């Protein structure tokens, strides 16, 4: 199964909102509500931001929100802050044979 | 405090072996579904392997037959034995807890990964 498709890079200005996309197929993103998003800063452990498409773990600011339409999931970050500059990866369950597939990651630059 | 700490990475020649370890603190490895994931340079994350709480194990096709996941219950440590290593196995390797849901047939669907470690670098090169 191919990786999920994410834009290589996205940029936004401080205080603005950005939306990161994650496109899969009817066999993964479109079939299961098990999409998750991770934030990666260099030298740090990846951090879970969103799970089950829209749910936020405790401690994650409500500036981060997730959604899904068809085969595409989205992560919206509102009120951009400097510390949001990072790589963001999406993942989806893809069945009991493939298990989980990830996107290639999006580098977010905060201007 | 980092709940998971990986170790054992390094430089190895093609065809060689390495054993990665992942020490857990604050929870029991045997009571959780534990996974290994990796990220090659310039690439996205890739799920590698899982050991369920019931000890069943599964692997990505890319490592099946070469990698073995295991755990030491009393020491709360997860392992990944990697044999017949290839240059395309070069990556940062992470361990993490997997969370998800069982359906009515008892099949577990992985929903997300929590408590990632900082990773350990594996480089396969001559």
């Amino acid at each position: 199964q191919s990786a999920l498709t994410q834009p290589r890079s996205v940029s936004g200005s401080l205080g603005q909102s950005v939306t990161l996309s994650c496109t899969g197929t009817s066999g993964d993103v479109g079939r299961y509500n098990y999409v998750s998003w991770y934030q990666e800063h260099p030298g740090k452990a990846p951090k879970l931001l969103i799970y089950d498409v829209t749910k936020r773990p405790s401690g994650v600011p409500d500036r981060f929100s997730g959604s899904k339409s068809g085969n595409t999931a989205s992560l919206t970050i509102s009120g951009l802050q400097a510390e949001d500059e990072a790589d963001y990866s999406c993942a989806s369950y893809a069945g009991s044979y493939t298990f989980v597939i990830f996107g290639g990651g999006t580098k977010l630059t905060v201007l | 405090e980092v709940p998971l700490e990986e170790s054992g990475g390094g430089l190895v020649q093609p065809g060689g072996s390495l054993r990665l370890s992942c020490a857990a603190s604050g929870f029991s490895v045997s009571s959780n579904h534990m996974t290994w994931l990796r990220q090659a340079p310039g690439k996205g994350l890739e799920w590698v392997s899982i050991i369920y709480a019931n000890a069943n194990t599964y692997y990505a096709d890319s490592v099946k037959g070469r990698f073995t996941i295991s755990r030491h219950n009393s020491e709360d440590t997860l392992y990944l034995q990697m044999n017949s290593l290839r240059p395309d196995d070069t990556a940062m390797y992470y361990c993490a807890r997997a969370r998800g849901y069982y359906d009515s047939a008892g099949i577990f669907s992985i929903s997300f990964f929590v408590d990632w470690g900082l990773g350990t670098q594996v480089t396969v090169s001559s």
Side-chain angles (χ1 to χ4, degrees):
Chain A
Q1 202 136 357
S2 300
L4 305 176
T5 300
Q6 296 184 253
R8 278 267 188 183
S9 62
V10 166
S11 63
S13 300
L14 281 170
Q16 286 191 331
S17 295
V18 293
T19 297
L20 283 59
S21 63
C22 170
T23 301
T25 70
S26 57
D28 39 69
V29 174
R31 180 171 183 177
Y32 302 100
N33 288 325
Y34 299 144
V35 175
S36 52
W37 289 88
Y38 303 87
Q39 181 188 58
E40 301 162 63
H41 282 112
K44 290 191 171 184
K47 176 184 176 183
L48 175 68
L49 291 177
I50 296 288
Y51 68 99
D52 293 357
V53 180
T54 61
K55 298 176 182 176
R56 263 189 325 274
S58 60
V60 173
D62 59 6
R63 303 187 295 106
F64 295 89
S65 63
S67 63
K68 187 182 86 167
S69 177
N71 297 337
T72 298
S74 300
L75 173 70
T76 298
I77 309 172
S78 58
L80 272 176
Q81 300 181 3
E83 60 263 35
D84 297 335
E85 186 161 293
D87 291 327
Y88 292 84
S89 293
C90 62
S92 174
Y93 183 65
S96 57
Y97 180 75
T98 306
F99 288 88
V100 176
I101 54 173
F102 283 85
T106 296
K107 181 174 179 58
L108 172 64
T109 301
V110 179
L111 305 172
Chain B
E1 181 184 300
V2 180
L4 291 167
E5 185 170 356
E6 304 91 341
S7 61
L11 174 64
V12 62
Q13 291 190 337
S17 298
L18 272 179
R19 189 176 83 153
L20 305 184
S21 300
C22 170
S25 58
F27 64 91
S28 166
V29 162
S30 62
S31 301
N32 285 272
H33 307 314
M34 300 300 299
T35 67
W36 286 99
L37 308 102
R38 67 184 181 182
Q39 187 164 32
K43 304 281 189 180
L45 287 160
E46 179 188 14
W47 172 79
V48 172
S49 180
I50 187 168
I51 181 166
Y52 287 124
N54 67 4
N56 286 346
T57 60
Y58 297 91
Y59 302 90
D61 284 347
S62 57
V63 307
K64 202 173 293 183
R66 300 187 300 122
F67 289 12
T68 302
I69 190 171
S70 63
R71 68 191 184 203
H72 192 302
N73 294 345
S74 61
E75 294 184 357
D76 283 325
T77 302
L78 179 72
Y79 300 103
L80 186 68
Q81 177 66 43
M82 304 186 297
N83 299 331
S84 303
L85 282 162
R86 310 186 302 221
D88 62 358
D89 293 317
T90 294
M92 182 71 78
Y93 284 74
Y94 299 96
C95 59
R97 280 203 279 185
R99 296 285 179 86
Y101 309 95
Y102 286 95
D103 64 16
S104 56
I107 295 175
F108 184 78
S109 300
I110 299 173
S111 176
F112 57 96
F113 304 101
V114 291
D115 297 329
W116 299 62
L118 292 174
T120 186
Q121 177 68 40
V122 172
T123 301
V124 184
S125 174
S126 54

